[in-house]
Each structure stands twice: as C-alpha cells, then as structure tokens.
Amino acid sequence: MGGHGTSPCASCKLLRRRCSHDCIFAPYFPSDDPYKFAIVHKVFGASNVSKMLQELPVHQRTDAASSLVYEANARVRDPVYGCVGAISSLQKQVSELQMQLAVAQAEILSIQMQRQPVVLPTQQIDTCIDDEKSYFLHNNLPQYLNFPSSSSGNGDSLKREGIFGHDMVS
Amino acid sequence: MVNVRCATCKYLRRRCPSDCIFSPYFPSNNPQRFESVHRIYGASNVAKMLEQLPSSLRPQAAETLCYEAESRIQDPVYGCAAIIFQLQQQLHNTECELAKTRAEIAIIRSNGHGQESDIYSADEY
C-alpha cells in the first residue's frame, strides 16, 4: 500500500502521482507487478477502472480487479474478439464433447439392447432417452454470439490457466 | 442532404465528420450501445482500439466490445469472465462424464455376457 513512506502502487507509478493512503488501486495493483495495471489502463483507462472499483463494495473489488485484468489481457491478445473469442472457442469444445458423450451413451444403450434379446419394458427405454434429452437441455448454455476466435489456442490455454490465470492479483 | 450524427457524436455533442471512426458501428438509432461501451471503455479507448485494426475487422471488434461492455454492466464484478468460468466448469464436467462412460463401455465389452447386471438393473436375472 502506498502513502506511508512505502513505494507507490503500480497505478500511481504509471500515472506519476502521489499514492495516497486510501488509493483505490493500491490493494489490487501492487508496485511489483506494473504490467497488470498497464494493461487495464490501456484497455479500460485508469479513471474507468477507478469508477468501476468505487461502485463496488470492498469485498468484491479483488475479484473485479482480477476479472478486469483478465479481460484486458484477452483483448490485448485478441484485439478483434477479446474474451468473446475465448467464449466461442469454449462453447465449441463443450458442444463437441457433448456430442461424443451422447455417442458413448448411445453405444452403451445399443450394447445393452443387443445383449438382452428380451425386450426391455418401454418405460425403461423411454426413461433412458428422456434422461439423455434432459442432459442436453440442462447442460446447453444459451448460444452466445457466434464469433470465431482469431487465436485458436484460447480455449486450451484458458483450461490450463483457470479463470484468472496465475496470480492475477497477489 | 441532412448529415445524421452517429450515436457517439450525438452523445459527445460534436459534429459527426464523414470519416467518423464510430459511425459505421454506432448508428444513431441505438444510443444505448455506445453509452455502454463508453461507460466501460471510454470513447477515446474505443477509437484507439478500432483505429489499430483494419477496417474489415472493425465491425467484429465493435460488436465484441459492446458485448463485453454489456456483460460488465450486468455483472460489475466478473463481467464476461463469469461466462468463461462457467464454460470451463462445464467442459471439465463433460470430460469427466465422457471418461466415465467410456470406461463403462470398456468394462461391458471386457466382461461379456452376464455381468452387465453388476452395472445395470439385475431384475432380469
């Protein structure tokens, strides 16, 4: 935290101003990671970030700062599609996996039916098919904008990094 | 011919030049669209981002900026990062389900007749 004889936060360093004891940025943009603030400033602008943080209760600001850094990173990596590219890529992966799952579940049904020549009560078959439909209905998120991603690896790298990557806010 | 100002120039109360960077993507009939991006990114940042792109890619960029701005307005803490997290969770769950189902298939195939009752209903036997 700035303003007590310690070094100014990354924001105040970049903005070349005095870092007050109640600096809105200091808890979330420490001086040892100047890149984090630089990138949100580039995409959103310091005053917009400040406004957004001020409008939130204190206990939500850490996550808000992290998600802003995340979105800013996504926009810098993919200036056309930003986070939407990642969303599209993930949606596609989810759809493909759901199809593979449906095929695998159908295969189990098919093996069952082949090995049990006695006709199963229709109630049981209908239940299996209804369960499958209900799985699709329950698990299909609404389709977002159908954007491709200009960077193909977005979804995979997000999978490995997790939502906020490594140490977005220390 | 009357020159209609785009939503941006109307909002900023300025003349809308013929080469206005905003006007193809922020028409005057949808002022809310520009207000959202301006609130989150600021007009000058949006202009900078659009200017850095070839004109063929600007429509998509404007669209995604609008989408992300709207998401942030609706969810001021996580914005559209919440959707990404949800999708990552769903991806993980589906992968686990798929692995489990494929393992079941492998078990059924390797066990052959008579033992699927261990997995499925046993009331036929």
Side-chain angles (χ1 to χ4, degrees), chain A residues 7-22:
Chain A
S7 76
C9 71
S11 324
C12 294
K13 257 190 186 166
L14 185 79
L15 300 172
R16 292 182 192 182
R17 64 185 197 189
R18 196 179 74 85
C19 191
S20 63
H21 70 280
D22 58 352

Side-chain angles (χ1 to χ4, degrees), chain B residues 5 8 13 16 37-38 42 49 51 61 66 70 72-74 76-77 81 101 105-106 114 117 121 125:
Chain B
R5 288 186 296 173
T8 309
R13 295 181 189 182
C16 189
V37 292
H38 181 53
M49 286 191 263
E51 276 158 8
C66 291
E70 278 298 329
R72 181 59 62 171
I73 289 168
Q74 284 174 28
V77 181
T101 308
I105 292 172
S117 58
S121 156
Y125 294 95

Side-chain angles (χ1 to χ4, degrees), chain A residues 35-36 39-40 42-44 52 63-79 81-84 86-87 158 163-165 168, chain B residues 40-41 49 64-73 75-84:
Chain A
Y35 174 79
K36 235 191 304 186
I39 202 160
V40 291
K42 180 174 176 166
V43 174
F44 296 101
M52 285 191 264
D63 281 353
S66 293
S67 68
L68 286 168
V69 174
Y70 185 88
E71 280 189 36
N73 264 313
R75 182 57 62 174
V76 166
R77 261 186 267 147
D78 186 346
Y81 298 104
C83 272
V84 175
I87 290 171
L158 284 166
I163 181 63
F164 294 142
M168 285 290 184
Chain B
I40 301 301
Y41 296 103
M49 286 191 263
T64 59
L65 285 168
C66 291
Y67 180 83
E68 288 184 31
E70 278 298 329
S71 298
R72 181 59 62 171
I73 289 168
D75 184 348
V77 181
Y78 297 107
C80 64
I83 302 166
I84 291 174

Side-chain angles (χ1 to χ4, degrees), chain A residues 42-45 48 52 56 60 63-64 67-68 70-71 75 79-84 86-87 90-91 93-94 97-98 100-101 104-105 107-108 111-112 115 120 135 139 141 144-145 147 158-159 162-164, chain B residues 38-42 45 49 53 57 60-61 63-65 67-68 72 76-88 90-91 94-95 97-98 101-102 104-105 108-109 111-113 116 120-121 124-125:
Chain A
K42 180 174 176 166
V43 174
F44 296 101
N48 289 329
M52 285 191 264
L56 292 169
Q60 289 183 325
D63 281 353
S67 68
L68 286 168
Y70 185 88
E71 280 189 36
R75 182 57 62 174
V80 181
Y81 298 104
C83 272
V84 175
I87 290 171
L90 282 168
Q91 273 194 307
Q93 288 178 56
V94 167
L97 271 183
Q98 284 177 335
Q100 289 178 36
L101 181 60
Q105 287 171 336
E107 193 175 336
I108 287 182
I111 294 171
Q112 243 188 320
R115 290 184 175 180
L120 292 170
Y135 176 88
N139 286 284
L141 286 174
Y144 298 101
L145 304 168
F147 290 107
L158 284 166
K159 204 171 37 165
I163 181 63
F164 294 142
Chain B
H38 181 53
R39 184 171 153 184
I40 301 301
Y41 296 103
N45 285 331
M49 286 191 263
L53 294 170
L57 294 175
Q60 295 94 311
E63 201 61 45
T64 59
L65 285 168
Y67 180 83
E68 288 184 31
R72 181 59 62 171
V77 181
Y78 297 107
C80 64
I83 302 166
I84 291 174
F85 181 62
Q86 204 179 0
L87 284 167
Q88 285 180 326
Q90 191 183 15
L91 192 64
T94 311
E95 281 173 339
E97 192 64 33
L98 182 61
T101 308
R102 285 179 172 163
E104 284 177 18
I105 292 172
I108 293 169
R109 287 218 165 108
N111 284 348
H113 283 91
E116 48 270 48
Y120 301 104
S121 156
E124 290 79 12
Y125 294 95

Side-chain angles (χ1 to χ4, degrees), chain B residues 19-41:
Chain B
D19 60 350
C20 175
I21 187 92
F22 298 100
S23 65
Y25 322 112
F26 299 99
S28 58
N29 60 359
N30 192 352
Q32 184 60 43
R33 201 169 131 92
F34 173 73
E35 284 172 33
S36 302
V37 292
H38 181 53
R39 184 171 153 184
I40 301 301
Y41 296 103

